[in-house]
Amino acid sequence: MASSRIQATVRQLSNTFKKKSRFDIGIASELPPAYKKFWREWKVLKPAAVHFIPQESKWKRDELTGETLPVQNVPIPLKHPAEIHEGIWGGEAVIKGFQKRSDQRRRVPHYWVPVLKRTVVRSEVLNTHLSVTVTDRTINLINDHYGFDHYLLKTPACDLVSMLALKLKKQILIELMNGCPRYANNPQKQKEIYNEYKTYLSSYTPEEIEWYGLTWYEALSKVAKQKEAQNKPVPLKNIYRKKLVEKLKAAESEDKNDATEEISTTTSWLSKMNPFGKKDEA
C-alpha cells in the first residue's frame, strides 16, 4: 500500500513539475503552430538511416552461441559542420570515430568525410539552373525521384538537413502557391508545370509555407518584428498636434456660426428701421 501511494505521488509530482520545452520560455511561447510543425519535421522526426543498415526484426539469434538477443538500431552519431548548409549532402554527414591502422598500435581518432562534388541541377518550378555542392547519394536520390523539385518536395526536413535545401523547398512551394508566375510568358507550359506539382500543396497551408525553412533565431526575430509592428508607439507630438488641429477646427467653425448669427441679427434690425422697406401684412 505504501509503495503504491509513493508511486502515485511521484507520478503526480512529475505531472506537476513538468519540464518546460523551448516553446514555453520567453517569446518562443508566441510562435505559431505552423512553425512548431516545421520544427518537429526538422528536429524531432527520426531521419532515414544512411550510414548503417537497420534490422527490421526485434530479436536475433547469435549464430555461435544460439542466444536470442534484442535488436538495437542505434544510429551512428553524426557531425554537421557549417559547410553542410552551403550544399545538399543527401543525408550524409561527418562521422567521428576511431581507426586501428596497425595490429601493433593503438587506435587513433579519425573523421570520415563524405566525398563532395560540384554539379549543376535544374529546378523546373523555379525555371533556373543551380550550381550546388552534392554527394553521390544526392545525385542518386534526385534520379530516383525523377527530378530535383520532386526530390526536395517529397523529402522531409529531417533528411534534407541543409538550410540551402530547406530555403529552396520553401521558394518552390511559394512559387506553386502563386501559380508559377515565372512561366507567365508561356501559359501552356505554366499549366503543365502547375498540374504536375500542385499535389504537394495539399500538405501545407499558406501560413505553414510562410514559416517553413526558418531557423530558430529567424523565427524568433520574425515574432519580435510582428509584435513591434502591432505595438508600435505613437510619438506624443503627433497626438498633441492632432488634438490641437481638432481644437482649431472646432473654434473656427464656432466663429463662423457666431458671425452668421450676428449678420442675421443686424440685417433684421436694419430691415425694421428702413422706411422704404416692405411692411409685413397684418
Side-chain angles (χ1 to χ4, degrees):
M1 290 293 291
S3 61
S4 61
R5 289 179 181 178
I6 293 173
Q7 291 177 359
T9 306
V10 169
R11 285 196 298 269
Q12 186 177 1
L13 290 175
S14 62
N15 294 330
T16 304
F17 301 101
K18 185 179 179 181
K19 185 178 179 180
K20 292 185 178 180
S21 65
R22 61 168 57 209
F23 291 101
D24 300 328
I25 303 173
I27 195 173
S29 60
E30 301 182 17
L31 287 170
Y35 184 75
K36 294 179 182 179
K37 178 184 176 182
F38 164 71
W39 183 264
R40 285 192 297 270
E41 181 185 342
W42 187 27
K43 296 295 184 180
V44 180
L45 192 64
K46 187 177 180 181
V50 177
H51 300 282
F52 71 100
I53 301 175
Q55 300 182 15
E56 297 180 356
S57 60
K58 295 183 179 181
W59 304 90
K60 66 178 180 179
R61 185 180 296 276
D62 194 343
E63 296 180 356
L64 296 177
T65 62
E67 185 181 1
T68 303
L69 302 173
V71 174
Q72 299 180 0
N73 291 320
V74 180
I76 299 175
L78 303 176
K79 300 289 183 180
H80 295 95
E83 290 78 10
I84 196 173
H85 299 293
E86 300 175 1
I88 303 175
W89 292 12
E92 295 190 47
V94 178
I95 300 175
K96 178 184 178 181
F98 293 92
Q99 187 180 43
K100 193 169 185 179
R101 300 172 182 174
S102 175
D103 295 338
Q104 299 177 355
R105 293 184 180 182
R106 298 181 63 181
R107 62 180 187 173
V108 294
H110 184 76
Y111 288 91
W112 284 269
V113 182
V115 179
L116 305 177
K117 58 182 67 176
R118 197 81 179 177
T119 188
V120 177
V121 295
R122 183 179 185 276
S123 173
E124 286 187 333
V125 178
L126 300 179
N127 193 21
T128 185
H129 290 79
L130 304 169
S131 177
V132 293
T133 303
V134 298
T135 61
D136 289 335
R137 188 172 188 272
T138 307
I139 297 174
N140 294 333
L141 289 172
I142 293 173
N143 293 331
D144 292 341
H145 289 84
Y146 301 100
F148 181 69
D149 295 337
H150 287 292
Y151 163 65
L152 292 181
L153 294 172
K154 286 184 179 180
T155 307
C158 61
D159 291 332
L160 292 175
V161 181
S162 166
M163 288 305 304
L164 175 62
L166 295 175
K167 297 292 185 183
L168 287 173
K169 183 176 181 179
K170 177 180 180 179
Q171 193 173 357
I172 291 171
L173 290 171
I174 293 173
E175 195 77 10
L176 290 172
M177 186 174 61
N178 296 332
C180 301
R182 303 198 181 198
Y183 289 94
N185 297 329
N186 190 350
Q188 183 177 359
K189 185 70 173 178
Q190 181 182 16
K191 187 177 180 180
E192 292 177 0
I193 296 296
Y194 180 75
N195 290 334
E196 182 179 356
Y197 293 95
K198 67 179 181 180
T199 55
Y200 297 105
L201 291 175
S202 60
S203 302
Y204 305 93
T205 62
E207 185 183 6
E208 292 173 355
I209 294 175
E210 180 185 357
W211 288 90
Y212 196 90
L214 297 180
T215 62
W216 179 254
Y217 296 104
E218 288 175 350
L220 293 182
S221 62
K222 185 172 183 178
V223 172
K225 288 180 181 178
Q226 289 179 352
K227 287 188 64 178
E228 185 180 357
Q230 293 175 358
N231 304 324
K232 189 175 181 180
V234 180
L236 293 176
K237 63 178 183 179
N238 295 343
I239 298 175
Y240 295 151
R241 186 187 297 117
K242 185 177 180 181
K243 290 182 178 180
L244 179 60
V245 170
E246 291 177 354
K247 288 181 179 179
L248 291 175
K249 287 182 178 179
E252 185 179 359
S253 62
E254 289 179 0
D255 292 341
K256 288 182 179 180
N257 293 333
D258 295 341
T260 53
E261 289 178 359
E262 290 179 0
I263 293 171
S264 61
T265 54
T266 53
T267 52
S268 63
W269 279 105
L270 288 173
S271 61
K272 291 179 179 179
M273 295 175 63
N274 188 8
F276 301 102
K278 294 182 180 180
K279 295 182 178 181
D280 297 335
E281 295 181 356

